[in-house]
Amino acid sequence: MLDVDRVLRQNRLVRAMTGLNLQAFARLLVSFSMASEQAEQQDLTPRQRARSGGRKPRLAGIDHQLFFVLFYFKCYPTFDLPGFCSTSTARKRTAGCKRCNRF
């Protein structure tokens, strides 16, 4: 699994993996976090459990989520790669697909 925190501390790695430098990533992160919050608030589907219920997400921070999206679009792998990079053996191609579509 990638150490995203390590990548986000080094301008060269961020540029190599996403195509953006750290400053551009930080500017995009602000817009991405606002759009993510709006999408979460507009989610009108009825929930069985509270928002904090369920398993903890693998991509905990919004910066990790943005990195995942940018890395995916730069490298454009098939959905097998996110399933393979996952630490859980139960993850499948569909989990990566659903995550990309949600973001």
Side-chain angles (χ1 to χ4, degrees), residues 15-101:
R15 201 174 325 120
M17 294 186 173
T18 66
L20 299 175
N21 61 20
L22 280 172
Q23 291 80 21
F25 184 87
R27 285 194 306 269
L28 186 58
L29 182 61
V30 173
S31 301
F32 184 77
S33 63
M34 288 190 312
S36 178
E37 287 176 22
Q38 282 180 343
E40 193 172 298
Q41 290 173 357
Q42 292 176 354
D43 185 17
L44 300 176
T45 58
R47 300 185 60 88
Q48 286 184 322
R49 296 181 179 92
R51 286 215 179 268
S52 61
R55 71 173 179 82
K56 300 299 179 210
R58 299 267 185 220
L59 299 173
I62 194 76
D63 54 343
H64 288 212
Q65 294 171 8
L66 178 59
F67 176 80
F68 176 81
V69 171
L70 294 173
F71 177 72
Y72 174 78
F73 281 119
K74 182 168 188 299
C75 298
Y76 198 70
T78 63
F79 288 117
D80 294 318
L81 183 63
F84 177 76
C85 288
S86 162
T87 57
S88 172
T89 57
R91 301 299 300 258
K92 297 185 174 120
R93 272 176 273 179
T94 56
C97 177
K98 288 176 185 174
R99 181 173 291 136
C100 280
N101 290 333

Side-chain angles (χ1 to χ4, degrees), residues 2-16:
L2 289 172
D3 184 3
V4 178
D5 291 321
R6 181 176 152 237
V7 172
L8 294 178
R9 287 191 302 262
Q10 298 180 20
N11 193 37
R12 180 183 170 108
L13 286 176
V14 172
R15 201 174 325 120

